[in-house]
Amino acid sequence: MNTIPASEELLGAGPLLRTRAYLNGTWTDAADGAAFDVFNPATGEVVATVADLGRDDVRRAIGAAHDAWPAFRDCTAKDRASLLKRWNALILEHKEELARIMTLECGKVLTESRGEVDYGAAFIEWFAEEARRTYGDVIPANTKDKRIVVIRQSIGVVATITPWNFPLAMITRKVGPALAAGSPVLIKPPTETPLTALAVAYLAEQAGFPPGVVNVITTSRNAEVGLELCENPLVRKLSFTGSTATGKLLMRQCASNLKKISLELGGNAPFIVFEDADVDAAVKGAMASKFRNSGQTCVCVNRLYVHDRVYDEFIDKFSKAVSALRVGNGLDEGTQVGPLISEKGLAKVKRHLDDALAKGAKVLVGGQALEGLYFRPTVLTDATADMLIAQDEVFGPVAPVFRFRDEREVIELANATPYGLASYFYSRDIARCWRVAEALDYGMVGINDGMISTEVAPFGGIKESGIGREGSKYGIDYFTELKYLCFGGIS
Ligand code: SIN
């Protein structure tokens, strides 16, 4: 079962290439011997065959994590910070191998995979620092004979369910704060990208995390494993990144034991270019945000609103930049747009395009699928609000452009969605910048900036884009419980 991938030599990943799950400090197969294949979306080839854990395996893993909790919780914050710092250093030391594994299993271009290693490691570094600042409070008491103190304690075993579009950073953004606060973690990576998760778990083992503290559950039996993670009362917190539909299902399942839950879900990001914008800067921001990971991020621009007065200039510059993008295998240096993750992802992009064309949109650039899972970067004009592409995230390299004439009108259009994750706008008028930033119904607003993700700021959405925030000084709050201590009888 423990297949050595055909492409190991190419990768040069050595011991980082793991195909067994990592439970309680042991590299392990599924109890029933099941396994599943991992594919390279750039070529369709099988990269590796990985242990396919079932519900009983997961139950045992949860038990082991729970047993590891007291000792890990009770070690000093400084000790936990040291473990995290060692892990961070090892991840950065192995940046190239990790980036190649990531590209191989998710198709992301190599420069972006390298960037994701840095981005992902930054969460571990940040929370190593935050570990030592989980302060409590002393509250002036309501009577003379009392003293009131609030402490923050580890929440207990944390389960994370992470997506394929950021195989490394969405793990570290969740487990960084959990581990910093003293919680063992169960990482359930997606079926598409388990290898990056296993590689970072190997580095966690090398960093010295005790058995049971970091666990990776590889599986294709997502429904039964998800149910166990939600319903098992020993798991005290579930943190999920993925689609809104799955987030709602997990929330319903977690309701059975009122498990604490953080959800980072879908978006439908508007990108507004006002008539006073620096158009060149807006084109640069739109390119960075729209085509990152071939358009497969929750914060990718989904709808471009351009003011009538700068419409022609923007369209001309944007379409030239999009035409120049190089599409290909992410392992080839110089590729800028890789494949989509799956046939399902490709079919969604085609569905959105067909719907837009049927409702009057025009293709200015691209507009076709290429061989395999590739889609040519596309610009659509004459987009309207009734199109599927205006209502739902396309999750692919298609940019629909809408024309607008009035600030109030565009804010209404931008907010007319159940989602509320990221939004962007470009303007040089400071009063407008404040006004629009406050009026946009989103958890995050990029003002004259198309790349807003960083470990130092709170990432998360409102409305149907989720619950909670990740990263920043706020991120660790979601992995601790407040406890109020009341000391009586003090004379
Ligand atoms: C996501 O797409 O879920 C995360 C994007 C990011 O962290 O920038």
Side-chain angles (χ1 to χ4, degrees), residues 258-414:
L258 283 184
K259 198 182 301 305
K260 304 285 184 295
I261 186 161
S262 290
L263 301 171
E264 197 262 277
L265 308 176
N268 180 3
F271 185 103
I272 308 168
V273 184
F274 285 101
E275 69 276 25
D276 54 30
D278 173 341
V279 173
D280 291 319
V283 169
K284 199 162 160 234
M287 292 299 294
S289 174
K290 176 67 244 183
F291 297 101
R292 182 172 171 223
N293 198 14
S294 308
Q296 301 172 111
T297 87
C298 304
V299 291
C300 273
V301 171
N302 206 53
R303 296 168 287 157
L304 283 137
Y305 295 101
V306 183
H307 192 277
D308 190 45
R309 247 187 272 153
V310 287
Y311 187 89
D312 291 342
E313 182 188 353
F314 180 88
I315 283 287
D316 180 51
K317 291 179 171 166
F318 184 58
S319 54
K320 280 193 184 116
V322 176
S323 308
L325 286 171
R326 282 188 299 278
V327 181
N329 188 329
L331 281 178
D332 299 335
E333 301 281 355
T335 299
Q336 291 165 299
V337 178
L340 296 174
I341 189 71
S342 63
E343 289 290 350
K344 194 171 158 217
L346 185 63
K348 184 177 187 190
V349 173
K350 287 183 189 163
R351 202 166 55 246
H352 275 68
L353 181 71
D354 290 347
D355 172 82
L357 296 181
K359 291 176 180 155
K362 295 195 179 50
V363 174
L364 197 64
V365 179
Q368 321 90 32
L370 301 165
E371 209 183 316
L373 295 177
Y374 296 94
F375 199 91
R376 207 184 279 290
T378 295
V379 180
L380 297 179
T381 57
D382 299 298
T384 51
D386 60 332
M387 294 173 182
L388 207 50
I389 206 161
Q391 293 156 13
D392 184 21
E393 60 185 351
V394 61
F395 238 61
V398 179
V401 187
F402 305 73
R403 197 190 281 264
F404 77 94
R405 290 184 179 79
D406 174 71
E407 181 181 306
R408 203 160 340 147
E409 169 209 357
V410 78
I411 288 169
E412 265 175 38
L413 287 166

Side-chain angles (χ1 to χ4, degrees), residues 119 123 163 165-166 169-170 173 241-242 264-265 292-293 296-300 395 421 451-454 459 470:
Y119 179 44
F123 289 106
N165 61 344
F166 286 86
M170 295 306 99
R173 193 156 80 184
T241 293
E264 197 262 277
L265 308 176
R292 182 172 171 223
N293 198 14
Q296 301 172 111
T297 87
C298 304
V299 291
C300 273
F395 238 61
L421 192 60
M451 280 291 285
I452 57 177
S453 305
T454 161
F459 190 104
E470 295 185 329

